Amino acid sequence: MTIDPASPIPKYSQLREILLDWIEESGLAVDDAIPSERELGARYGLSRMTVRQTIDHLVAEGKLYRVPGKGTFVARPKIEMSLRLASFTEDMRARGFEPGSRDLARRIDPASGHLARLLAIRPGAPVHHIERLRTADGEPMAVERSNIPLAVAPGLADQRLAGRSLYRLLEEEYGVLLDSGEQTIEAGVCDPADARLLGLPAGSAVLLLQRRSFAAGVCVEVAISTYRADRYQLRSTLDPLY
Ligand code: GLP
């Protein structure tokens, strides 16, 4: 493919298509370097500024990443976020990753008014607060903060959790089988503490999830999670509106 100077399509868009073709079709693998901006400019007869504009876009889209002083490389494809009532463990295993989890904090707190409303319990009632760093093949993917009423899982504070599935534990130890849920997902900016945990520059884009999970109509968990936006994307099938 070459750049067509007579085309109404801007040159940076034409270069974008060429580079995407390389990445998707011509066997450029993840972590392979693409030619330098200078080389691309020379090869396609483009100014350095045009080449940079294209690469900036592809970096922002997560298709490429830059390593200062080294070059620009093909990024890994993003993981499609599950929109089902799956546990992190199940979801990662289904994708061929080894799930992991590191305990960051575990406390029993009195429920604030806001949390009590979400959990449908009385304000001040005791709630397990569990913060975990979730990993896939050892790579940090998300920070998850789960809130579970003490009444649902009384001895949970004494259970070893590191590396275990919380949903599995709820099922096996307390007979709690989650059967429905609701979730909001919104864009956010990572705070410095979570950014350190996730290995991201402070202020990076993240996806903020709030999930309420239910068992037989009872709210069992309110979880607030921070997922890496550079590793996750959402896909949905679209039905006609009418
Ligand atoms: C998902 C949900 C969390 C939930 C977790 C349980 O990631 N977003 O709300 O706490 O799954 O995962 P696991 O059973 O692997 O601990």
Side-chain angles (χ1 to χ4, degrees), residues 23 147 154 158 174:
I23 297 170
N147 300 282
D158 303 323
Y174 300 97

mmCIF file of all heavy atoms in Angstrom, residues 23 147 154 158 174:
data_model
loop_
_atom_site.group_PDB
_atom_site.id
_atom_site.type_symbol
_atom_site.label_atom_id
_atom_site.label_comp_id
_atom_site.label_asym_id
_atom_site.label_seq_id
_atom_site.Cartn_x
_atom_site.Cartn_y
_atom_site.Cartn_z
ATOM 1 N N ILE A 23 -0.104 -4.523 11.195
ATOM 2 C CA ILE A 23 -0.285 -5.138 12.511
ATOM 3 C C ILE A 23 -1.243 -6.326 12.401
ATOM 4 O O ILE A 23 -1.010 -7.380 12.978
ATOM 5 C CB ILE A 23 -0.808 -4.097 13.529
ATOM 6 C CG1 ILE A 23 0.233 -2.988 13.716
ATOM 7 C CG2 ILE A 23 -1.136 -4.749 14.860
ATOM 8 C CD1 ILE A 23 -0.270 -1.795 14.510
ATOM 9 N N ASN A 147 -17.471 -5.299 49.260
ATOM 10 C CA ASN A 147 -18.160 -5.089 50.541
ATOM 11 C C ASN A 147 -19.243 -6.144 50.676
ATOM 12 O O ASN A 147 -20.141 -6.215 49.818
ATOM 13 C CB ASN A 147 -18.779 -3.690 50.580
ATOM 14 C CG ASN A 147 -17.712 -2.615 50.439
ATOM 15 O OD1 ASN A 147 -17.015 -2.306 51.397
ATOM 16 N ND2 ASN A 147 -17.566 -2.064 49.246
ATOM 17 N N PRO A 154 -20.459 -14.826 58.015
ATOM 18 C CA PRO A 154 -19.985 -14.411 59.339
ATOM 19 C C PRO A 154 -18.482 -14.620 59.568
ATOM 20 O O PRO A 154 -17.816 -13.728 60.059
ATOM 21 C CB PRO A 154 -20.819 -15.258 60.309
ATOM 22 C CG PRO A 154 -22.001 -15.710 59.524
ATOM 23 C CD PRO A 154 -21.591 -15.760 58.095
ATOM 24 N N ASP A 158 -11.855 -14.721 58.903
ATOM 25 C CA ASP A 158 -10.842 -15.707 59.306
ATOM 26 C C ASP A 158 -10.425 -16.626 58.154
ATOM 27 O O ASP A 158 -9.557 -17.476 58.323
ATOM 28 C CB ASP A 158 -11.379 -16.590 60.452
ATOM 29 C CG ASP A 158 -11.808 -15.747 61.629
ATOM 30 O OD1 ASP A 158 -11.119 -14.736 61.898
ATOM 31 O OD2 ASP A 158 -12.851 -16.073 62.254
ATOM 32 N N TYR A 174 -20.477 -20.871 52.527
ATOM 33 C CA TYR A 174 -21.707 -20.246 53.044
ATOM 34 C C TYR A 174 -22.943 -20.607 52.227
ATOM 35 O O TYR A 174 -24.028 -20.091 52.502
ATOM 36 C CB TYR A 174 -21.528 -18.717 53.095
ATOM 37 C CG TYR A 174 -20.373 -18.326 53.992
ATOM 38 C CD1 TYR A 174 -19.122 -18.051 53.470
ATOM 39 C CD2 TYR A 174 -20.536 -18.299 55.383
ATOM 40 C CE1 TYR A 174 -18.053 -17.741 54.292
ATOM 41 C CE2 TYR A 174 -19.471 -17.989 56.214
ATOM 42 C CZ TYR A 174 -18.232 -17.711 55.662
ATOM 43 O OH TYR A 174 -17.185 -17.422 56.488
#
